[in-house]
Amino acid sequence: KCCANLIHMMPFHVEPRNIVGDDPQERVSAEAAILNSRVHYYSRLTASSDRLLSPPNHVIPRQEEIYIYSPLGTAFKVTGSDPSSKNPSIITIFAIWNTMMGTSILSIPWGIKQAGFTLGILILIFTGLLMLYCCYIVLKSPKAITDMDTSDWEFPDVCSFYFGKFGKWSSLFFSMVSLIGAMVVYWVLMSNFLYNTGQFIYNYAHNQADCLDANALLMCSPVICPYPTTEPGGNSTISTLYISGNDTSDGSSFEHWWSKTNTIPLYLIVLLLPLLCFRSAAFFARFTFLGTISVVYLIVLVTIKAVHLGFHLEFHWFDTARLYVPEFRLLFPQFTGVLTLAFFIHNCIVTLMKNNKHQENNVRDLSVAYLLVGLTYLYVGVLIFAAFPSPPLSKDCIEPNFLDNFPTSDVLVFVARAFLLFQMITVYPLLGYLVRVQMMGQIFGNHYPSFLHVLVLNILIVGAGVLMAKFYPNIGSIIRFSGATCGLALVFVFPALIHMISLRRQGLLRWPSAIFHSFLILLGMANLLAQFFM
């Protein structure tokens, strides 16, 4: 079909000139000119939109015989969808792993602390399996529609098919929630990382850092409690001992102009707002590989810290003990909200799997990718929680961004912060581009209606990030609310409803399946409502 449309739009035969292909001086034969005349004959009979008199298959040339004519006097060979250009399973698996890995990994130890160590591990495993199943439903949903060609459909198209305009606009809304929520989290983290990076450089320039000696690097990397008042035991003396080295005689002026919440979020506007207004995000897409490197470095960092600090665990099943949290806590819905976003890939899984070389292995590759993601989250979360030194500090000191539990003067953590800062600066315009394309495309029918439209949208997005970085820089709460909100529709409600409707139309819906998928919908609603009571 696509070949016929291509021939209708552009001439097949070109005069004997240079043709860009595998051979530098390839020529078009007289037979090709005859074939071109046949195609033009059919195109004159009817419009290309009328399939009744479209060229039959034996008239359409083979894939290797198709060229696209250029006004420059050359013709470019159409390569088509060569199976060799598809990705093998290992590349597909790590593409899913890399896409799913994001800022949520920084909040996994905090989530385990909120749920309790034992309950947190169980919830992580259970939520991962649940998200995998819902993602499996999303992946197979286009194929369940047999009366239409769904080869180029995405999940929002499936929602629009089953639920009409409501499905189309609601899927767009919840997709915007996940994207804008991620951008807000990015702004908070970029403010945090820029502040600590600048603080490290300032301390180094004024000889105030205490961990800059490479020979004693691991021996002088303490763990801090930034907000000691949250400790049940009140270890404020121990906590402030590590961070008192940052006080200086002339620090008041530096502190005034270099504030994590008052000035840094505003400084980022100068850099990032112009980048958001770029018409294309192709330049920033070249840096997506940095995400994999940053995650690998975080895993190495966590391993080094755990080996240095050792494990500090005591099991108190239901009662709160000094310096320790119980194994089961009623705050566990906060962790389920975080995990909903941490395992969220449902809005783009169909696209990722289209490039898989062996489509029959899609379910297996998706399962392996989720297994790797779950193991990565377990590794980071369990090691940070277990290695957090209690005593002297309380486990309740674990921050929503676990890097905040290490001082500014820690060189290894400084490298992690600087690397993550650069990565987020390159990814943030990509997220803004996705928001603009989806929102402007649906409302105005144009991805870039005008500079003014784009500027107003970007100001609103940046303004949301600045306000949250200034007044509520808690990435754990931002992640759990945005994860539970977008997960309600795109993870639980829409996949479950689409699955039940599809089975009912085929006459295969049975009451156990109806009960289970209805339970999934109630679970998503409970996950969102619980966030408001935590």
Side-chain angles (χ1 to χ4, degrees), residues 1-12 39-40 43 48:
K1 181 183 68 175
C2 62
C3 294
N5 292 336
L6 176 66
I7 298 168
H8 277 250
M9 290 184 294
M10 288 167 287
F12 169 72
V39 173
H40 275 280
S43 65
S48 60

Side-chain angles (χ1 to χ4, degrees), residues 110-384:
W110 173 80
I112 292 179
K113 181 256 295 188
Q114 296 299 92
F117 183 64
T118 301
L119 183 59
I121 294 176
L122 295 177
I123 286 177
L124 195 153
I125 297 173
F126 174 75
T127 305
L129 292 174
L130 207 61
M131 297 285 287
L132 170 61
Y133 175 72
C134 295
C135 195
Y136 162 73
I137 295 177
V138 172
L139 179 61
K140 73 173 188 176
S141 60
K143 299 179 181 179
I145 305 173
T146 57
D147 55 344
M148 298 184 67
D149 181 13
T150 61
S151 58
D152 59 344
W153 279 26
E154 307 294 341
F155 188 60
D157 299 316
V158 178
C159 295
S160 179
F161 173 80
Y162 282 102
F163 307 112
K165 289 186 177 180
F166 171 78
K168 172 185 176 181
W169 290 104
S170 57
S171 62
L172 173 65
F173 170 77
F174 287 105
S175 180
M176 290 299 99
V177 169
S178 64
L179 287 173
I180 296 177
M183 295 183 74
V184 170
V185 172
Y186 268 45
W187 201 275
V188 175
L189 286 175
M190 286 187 294
S191 301
N192 182 311
F193 295 151
L194 181 59
Y195 168 79
N196 284 286
T197 302
Q199 192 75 48
F200 177 91
I201 296 173
Y202 178 85
N203 290 341
Y204 180 82
H206 291 78
N207 296 320
Q208 295 170 10
D210 54 354
C211 287
L212 295 177
D213 184 6
N215 295 326
L217 179 60
L218 296 179
M219 298 304 296
C220 63
S221 298
V223 177
I224 65 173
C225 186
Y227 306 102
T229 55
T230 61
E231 296 182 59
N235 294 315
S236 57
T237 304
I238 297 175
S239 301
T240 55
L241 174 64
Y242 295 112
I243 59 177
S244 60
N246 292 334
D247 298 332
T248 59
S249 57
D250 61 340
S252 58
S253 177
F254 177 76
E255 296 286 340
H256 175 74
W257 294 105
W258 198 256
S259 171
K260 184 188 298 185
T261 57
N262 293 330
T263 59
I264 299 296
L266 300 177
Y267 295 159
L268 288 172
I269 298 177
V270 180
L271 172 64
L272 293 175
L273 185 58
L275 298 181
L276 285 176
C277 296
F278 280 21
R279 184 179 293 270
S280 172
F283 172 76
F284 304 103
R286 302 175 183 177
F287 298 94
T288 53
F289 71 93
L290 295 176
T292 303
I293 300 177
S294 62
V295 172
V296 172
Y297 182 82
L298 279 178
I299 294 174
V300 174
L301 173 66
V302 167
T303 305
I304 294 175
K305 293 298 182 181
V307 170
H308 171 57
L309 295 170
F311 284 177
H312 304 268
L313 289 173
E314 285 187 12
F315 294 92
H316 303 271
W317 297 105
F318 299 101
D319 299 328
T320 302
R322 183 178 181 273
L323 305 180
Y324 293 93
V325 297
E327 300 301 301
F328 299 89
R329 303 182 76 182
L330 295 179
L331 296 176
F332 70 89
Q334 294 186 353
F335 193 29
T336 61
V338 171
L339 289 175
T340 306
L341 193 63
F343 285 108
F344 181 72
I345 197 175
H346 300 61
N347 59 342
C348 61
I349 187 60
V350 177
T351 303
L352 288 173
M353 282 303 187
K354 283 180 181 178
N355 294 323
N356 197 9
K357 185 176 183 179
H358 301 285
Q359 291 293 305
E360 67 277 9
N361 296 332
N362 278 353
V363 176
R364 183 202 67 183
D365 296 344
L366 178 64
S367 303
V368 173
Y370 261 86
L371 175 63
L372 291 179
V373 171
L375 290 177
T376 304
Y377 287 153
L378 271 177
Y379 185 83
V380 173
V382 168
L383 282 190
I384 290 294

Side-chain angles (χ1 to χ4, degrees), residues 5 59 62 71 76 80 110 119 158 230 234 257 279 294 321 330 333 401 406 408 423 429 434 470 476 496 505 513:
N5 292 336
V59 174
R62 295 191 303 272
F76 297 86
W110 173 80
L119 183 59
V158 178
T230 61
W257 294 105
R279 184 179 293 270
S294 62
L330 295 179
N401 172 12
F406 298 98
T408 303
Q423 179 218 347
L434 294 176
K470 179 175 177 58
R505 291 181 177 180
S513 177

Side-chain angles (χ1 to χ4, degrees), residues 27-44:
R27 301 277 180 171
V28 177
S29 63
E31 181 183 357
I34 298 175
L35 187 56
N36 173 61
S37 299
R38 292 179 182 175
V39 173
H40 275 280
Y41 168 75
Y42 281 97
S43 65
R44 290 177 183 274

